[in-house]
């Protein structure tokens, strides 16, 4: 189910960020969250949290994630359905890393349809493979607050000190190694790229050049999202 333009504003705005590993989904979802008051729902973050807490879903996901494959649809769909029930999602959501398969996209349509709503926009962040590898290999996050950085494209203002929380410990993701990144890219091309056609056929697809700078991508997304949310941007 995709909302027609007349349906915008009836129910929660639902945006999807599509794109391969390193396209900038997480970086831009956080910016949209701050600017438009939407809630970022990252299945990668939720699964890493489940793994860290040792839940049943986390135990099932751990090995698959370490190998760069896709976690089973049933597990991921249940996690998203639970989150969409949460009160704080009532202001609207940015789905970051979900859906990733056609089965997940159809399940999302069903969940939203039961709420009388649908997908407002599926935004494809378009990058080339070489840029993805460079972005992923240079990525790190603050161990304290999770703020994301990059050794070339986004460094802290004071060397070794997190801009956001002042922390001095940083970490790399376990799946950010060359072999796993290759598997994640393969999974993207085999299972997730077909969703571009899926949403295009519904009239919900928007393409954004994600080879621009972080600020440039943010500007393109702001122009796209402002009319959907009805939030005026100066
Ligand atoms: P997930 O956490 O979703 O990882 P991913 O899709 O591989 O995406 P990344 O987080 O690596 O990249 P991103 O696009 O968010 O880029 P970022 O903004 O960080 O999934 C991890 C795993 O969980 C999957 O492999 C799978 O196993 C499982 N999983 C998750 N969801 C699933 C689902 N729905 N179904 C099944 N399994 C699922 O940017 C990267 C770096 O580049 C950063 O350092 C950033 O600063 C920099 N950067 C960003 N934009 C720019 C720019 N424009 N210019 C220069 N640098 C930039």
């Amino acid at each position: 189910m995709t909302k027609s333009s007349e349906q915008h504003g009836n129910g929660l705005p639902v945006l999807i960020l599509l794109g391969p590993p390193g396209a900038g989904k997480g970086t831009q979802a956080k910016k949209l969250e701050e600017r438009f008051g939407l809630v970022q729902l990252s299945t990668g973050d939720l699964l890493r949290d489940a793994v860290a807490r040792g839940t049943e879903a986390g135990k099932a996901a751990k090995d698959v994630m370490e190998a760069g494959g896709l976690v089973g649809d049933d597990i991921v769909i249940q996690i998203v359905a639970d989150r969409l029930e949460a009160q704080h999602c009532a202001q609207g959501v940015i789905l970051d890393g979900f859906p990733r398969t056609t089965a997940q996209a159809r399940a999302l349509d069903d969940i939203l349809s039961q709420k009388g709503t649908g997908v407002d926009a599926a935004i494809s962040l378009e990058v080339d493979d070489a840029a993805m590898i460079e972005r992923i290999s240079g990525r790190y996050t603050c161990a304290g607050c999770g703020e994301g950085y990059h050794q070339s494209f986004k460094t802290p203002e004071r060397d070794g000190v997190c801009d956001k929380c002042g922390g001095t410990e940083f970490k790399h993701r376990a799946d950010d190694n060359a072999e796993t990144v290759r598997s994640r890219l393969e999974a993207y091309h085999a299972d997730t790229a077909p969703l571009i056609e899926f949403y295009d056929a519904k009239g919900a697809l928007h393409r954004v050049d994600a080879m621009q700078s972080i600020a440039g991508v943010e500007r393109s997304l702001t122009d796209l999202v402002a009319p959907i949310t009805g939030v005026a941007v100066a």
Side-chain angles (χ1 to χ4, degrees):
M1 181 182 177
T2 306
K3 286 181 196 169
S4 68
S5 53
E6 296 78 43
Q7 286 174 295
H8 288 154
N10 298 340
L12 72 169
V14 179
L15 308 177
I16 295 170
L17 288 185
L18 288 171
K25 302 182 295 296
T27 301
Q28 296 297 337
K30 286 193 171 53
K31 292 181 183 297
L32 292 173
E33 190 172 52
E34 284 164 19
R35 189 178 290 260
F36 294 104
L38 304 170
V39 173
Q40 176 193 18
L41 202 163
S42 157
T43 42
D45 287 348
L46 293 170
L47 286 166
R48 280 184 286 279
D49 179 61
V51 170
R53 288 187 293 116
T55 64
E56 285 308 309
K59 284 179 198 157
K62 185 171 186 292
D63 290 348
V64 181
M65 291 176 77
E66 280 175 6
L70 291 183
V71 175
D73 287 333
D74 290 352
I75 292 173
V76 182
I77 290 165
Q78 189 58 53
I79 287 177
V80 171
D82 290 348
R83 276 294 159 141
L84 286 175
E85 278 304 312
Q87 189 66 31
H88 72 282
C89 286
Q91 56 203 302
V93 290
I94 310 156
L95 295 165
D96 159 10
F98 181 91
R100 255 177 158 94
T101 64
T102 306
Q104 291 179 18
R106 292 193 200 290
L108 176 64
D109 278 353
D110 290 345
I111 293 166
L112 294 176
S113 172
Q114 283 165 20
K115 294 176 178 296
T117 189
V119 172
D120 288 275
I123 304 168
S124 171
L125 297 182
E126 314 227 314
V127 285
D128 60 52
D129 282 16
M132 289 184 268
I133 309 268
E134 188 184 11
R135 288 184 190 180
I136 288 178
S137 55
R139 168 169 64 184
Y140 59 98
T141 54
C142 172
C145 70
E147 180 70 359
Y149 294 98
H150 190 281
Q151 64 191 24
S152 308
F153 306 126
K154 188 188 167 198
T155 54
E157 281 178 21
R158 276 176 57 208
D159 195 24
V161 181
C162 175
D163 296 338
K164 207 165 180 184
C165 75
T168 54
E169 299 286 323
F170 295 88
K171 60 182 183 182
H172 288 271
R173 258 169 55 177
D175 60 347
D176 279 353
N177 60 75
E179 194 181 330
T180 308
V181 170
R182 255 195 310 278
S183 303
R184 285 159 59 197
L185 272 174
E186 280 170 20
Y188 173 79
H189 289 298
D191 297 307
T192 309
L195 294 182
I196 292 174
E197 173 58 30
F198 180 90
Y199 286 109
D200 199 16
K202 288 169 171 282
L205 184 76
H206 301 265
R207 296 175 190 269
V208 166
D209 174 10
M211 292 299 290
Q212 303 174 80
S213 65
I214 293 176
V217 178
E218 183 182 3
R219 275 193 297 277
S220 299
L221 286 172
T222 298
D223 290 346
L224 183 56
V225 171
I228 294 171
T229 59
V231 174
V233 177

